[in-house]
Amino acid sequence: MFGKKLVVDMIGRSSQNQTDRRRFLRAAGAAGMGAVGAGVVGTSVMGAMSASADSADIADVADGVGTAAAPSDGAVLNFALNLEYLEAEFYSYAVHGHGLADKLTSGLQTRGGVVGGKKVPFKTRRIAQYAAEIAGDELAHVKFLRSALGRSAVSRPQIDIKNSFTAAARAAGLISSTQTFDPFANEDNFLLGAFLFEDVGVTAYKGAAPLIDNKAYLEAAAGILAVEAYHAATIRTSLYEKGLYQAAGKISMARDALDGGKDGDQGIRWKGMANIVPAAPTGIAYSRSPGKVLNVVYLNTKSVKKGGFFPNGVHGAVNTSA
């Protein structure tokens, strides 16, 4: 019914204003969307919507806005995209010595730069391989979320992977108030830096799951959560094998203090035994709300809109810590 190029253009414009959005929905209709074919699926927010979603829901997802009580699916995905930008930049620098390509960081709101980052001088071959595999996965996550959101995707916010690590290490008691912490200096520091991110990523996706209405999005988020959990277990295992129990434990306690919740975060050793999986007695992993996730990455216990790893805040509607 519609050519692929035309539909992609209309979808992109539909995320910009209400008039274009409603015009697109009236013109396309459910049958028109179905006639586009699978080639467009994944190129935009619309492409991932199920056929049962109504026009208002589709429009809200495209805009990335929702009710005051709950963010839209688009807003939640953009929140996740911010976190994936952070992880992807960290691993890309650690493995390749450079960050993401410009074409993968553009979008809504002003694109920010990256402070810090360099190639890690890995000494252990398997850890270098782990890092390379994780870097590839995080890059794929950025690409996937940008594709799903289409022209509604936010750009990369300003990211600090230099000063923020020093602030986090000081807060955790890993170093003194006059020392600095460079996660790219050696593989031990790299693993500790990765530990700070990976566990937060797992709890972030689990915490965001109840906020996602669209089943296609929920399935995709579950898939990313699984990958992040594999990453976290790999990092936790590597730290355990190196005997870095105390340092990892201090980071865990610092995260608990930042998010202000109950003692849910767990180190890699408990009662003299390995604790690779930070699960509750029920065997279920714990969650963090988006606000509590931002408490950790903003390195602030208060309700703020910027700080830490995101000096100017994250982009999108979900941007305030708890």
Side-chain angles (χ1 to χ4, degrees), residues 96-214:
H96 306 296
H98 61 75
L100 300 179
D102 286 347
K103 66 180 181 179
L104 295 177
T105 59
S106 61
L108 300 180
Q109 300 186 240
T110 303
R111 176 170 55 191
V114 178
V115 176
K118 61 185 178 184
K119 192 171 183 178
V120 175
F122 292 104
K123 299 297 183 182
T124 308
R125 183 179 180 183
R126 71 174 182 278
I127 293 177
Q129 292 177 341
Y130 296 160
E133 182 177 0
I134 295 174
D137 290 339
E138 300 300 353
L139 175 61
H141 290 170
V142 169
K143 291 180 177 179
F144 173 80
L145 289 173
R146 286 175 58 84
S147 176
L149 285 159
R151 295 187 185 183
S152 293
V154 295
S155 65
R156 179 190 63 204
Q158 182 77 16
I159 290 175
D160 184 334
I161 46 177
K162 179 180 179 181
N163 305 301
S164 55
F165 273 110
T166 290
R170 288 176 180 174
L174 293 180
I175 57 176
S176 72
S177 60
T178 60
Q179 292 178 305
T180 59
F181 180 84
D182 181 2
F184 304 98
N186 54 66
E187 67 183 28
D188 285 3
N189 282 14
F190 162 78
L191 288 171
L192 290 171
F195 175 62
L196 175 61
F197 287 151
E198 290 299 344
D199 276 20
V200 174
V202 174
T203 59
Y205 275 102
K206 184 172 182 293
L211 303 176
I212 301 175
D213 293 323
N214 182 268

